Amino acid sequence: MKRIWMMVLRNIFMVPYGWIRLCYRAAHVDKYTEENMYAFLKWIDLRANRGGNVHIDVYGRENIPGRDGFMLFPNHQGLYDVLAIIEACPRPFSVVAKKEVGKIPFLKQVFACMKAFLIDRDDVRQAMQVIVDVANEVKKGRNYLIFAEGTRSKNGNRVGTFKGGSFKSATKAQCPIVPVALIDSFRPFDTNSIKPVTVQVHFMEAIAYEEYKDMKTTAIAALVQERIQKVIDAYTS
């Protein structure tokens, strides 16, 4: 975690002020609009990235749907993934993450600000309720991100198996699915290096409900996984 320390040290005069504001907002989320909160998180994220020698290359912003109420499905490389997408994505979104991640300082506060859902994979009833709640939120016009692999792949730029159950909220909400290909997103936090690193975020063409409505969730998962891996292969070969 050398890079995290570098992020802190290079922003040493901003850190106390930013941390206090982040904690306050995390404890008072209903005082702010989603747009205001997202702009604040971007402000923190940009400074952390600059301090940590992390550059984000963004591709395909034009593929983000024109209307809110969509879901992002990226591959999952590391703890840095959400921070990469926050800088890359111009539209506010929230997250569905495993409850263990919600205990990590900083990510805990960020997820609170995003009104994220933390899922307990050992509690089937709670997990099913999260699926329903997310679908309802998407129908109301919120955007959500889910890591369909369920956990970090730990294989660099090789995508793990996408799980069909991760797409149940999308099918219930009948919303556009946006595959997101992350390249080298494991390098900032999951390697013991502080060398400059570039992370690529590729927003791929959205899959409309009409395109997948007759598919099983396992087939949707396989389709999204295949498209993401194809983009990663094209940019890393």
Side-chain angles (χ1 to χ4, degrees):
M1 292 294 183
K2 289 181 180 179
R3 195 179 304 273
I4 294 178
W5 282 110
M6 185 167 69
M7 288 177 172
V8 171
L9 291 173
R10 286 189 170 179
N11 290 282
I12 193 65
F13 296 110
M14 186 274 287
V15 167
Y17 171 68
W19 178 250
I20 290 170
R21 289 184 66 192
L22 179 64
C23 290
Y24 180 83
R25 284 173 172 257
H28 301 86
V29 292
D30 293 329
K31 292 183 65 175
Y32 304 91
T33 65
E34 187 166 37
E35 290 73 19
N36 180 276
M37 191 73 86
Y38 192 64
F40 170 71
L41 293 177
K42 271 184 169 290
W43 177 77
I44 288 181
D45 194 31
L46 284 168
R47 280 152 183 79
N49 287 341
R50 301 304 175 265
N53 281 341
V54 182
H55 177 76
I56 308 296
D57 279 347
V58 187
Y59 302 82
R61 277 201 183 104
E62 68 278 5
N63 290 324
I64 297 174
R67 294 178 58 186
D68 287 324
F70 57 84
M71 296 190 69
L72 303 167
F73 286 90
N75 53 310
H76 194 8
Q77 293 194 342
L79 294 172
Y80 181 76
D81 294 350
V82 172
L83 300 181
I85 298 173
I86 286 176
E87 177 171 335
C89 186
R91 307 274 283 284
F93 65 90
S94 188
V95 178
V96 178
K98 58 184 180 181
K99 67 174 186 177
E100 292 82 3
V101 179
K103 298 176 183 178
I104 299 173
F106 182 66
L107 288 181
K108 175 182 179 180
Q109 285 74 25
V110 168
F111 283 173
C113 288
M114 298 176 84
K115 295 184 179 179
F117 282 101
L118 300 179
I119 197 166
D120 184 350
R121 293 179 294 181
D122 295 325
D123 187 336
V124 176
R125 180 175 295 181
Q126 187 263 0
M128 291 300 298
Q129 188 59 51
V130 167
I131 290 172
V132 173
D133 290 342
V134 169
N136 289 334
E137 290 284 289
V138 173
K139 287 179 182 178
K140 293 176 184 177
R142 295 195 77 209
N143 310 313
Y144 272 84
L145 178 154
I146 293 181
F147 292 111
E149 289 160 280
T151 189
R152 288 173 283 169
S153 64
K154 298 182 180 179
N155 287 314
N157 290 314
R158 292 303 305 174
V159 179
T161 301
F162 276 35
K163 297 175 174 59
S166 301
F167 293 84
K168 288 183 178 179
S169 292
T171 58
K172 287 181 179 294
Q174 301 182 7
C175 68
I177 290 172
V178 182
V180 183
L182 296 175
I183 298 176
D184 290 339
S185 187
F186 64 95
R187 296 190 185 279
F189 287 172
D190 293 73
T191 61
N192 196 29
S193 172
I194 58 173
K195 292 181 179 179
V197 61
T198 296
V199 174
Q200 296 182 36
V201 180
H202 296 257
F203 296 103
M204 301 167 64
E205 185 175 350
I207 305 172
Y209 175 66
E210 289 70 25
E211 296 179 56
Y212 69 79
K213 65 179 181 180
D214 296 324
M215 298 171 63
K216 294 182 178 179
T217 54
T218 51
I220 300 170
L223 174 65
V224 174
Q225 177 185 331
E226 179 184 11
R227 290 188 180 183
I228 289 174
Q229 188 64 65
K230 187 175 294 186
V231 168
I232 292 174
D233 291 343
Y235 280 82
T236 57
S237 59

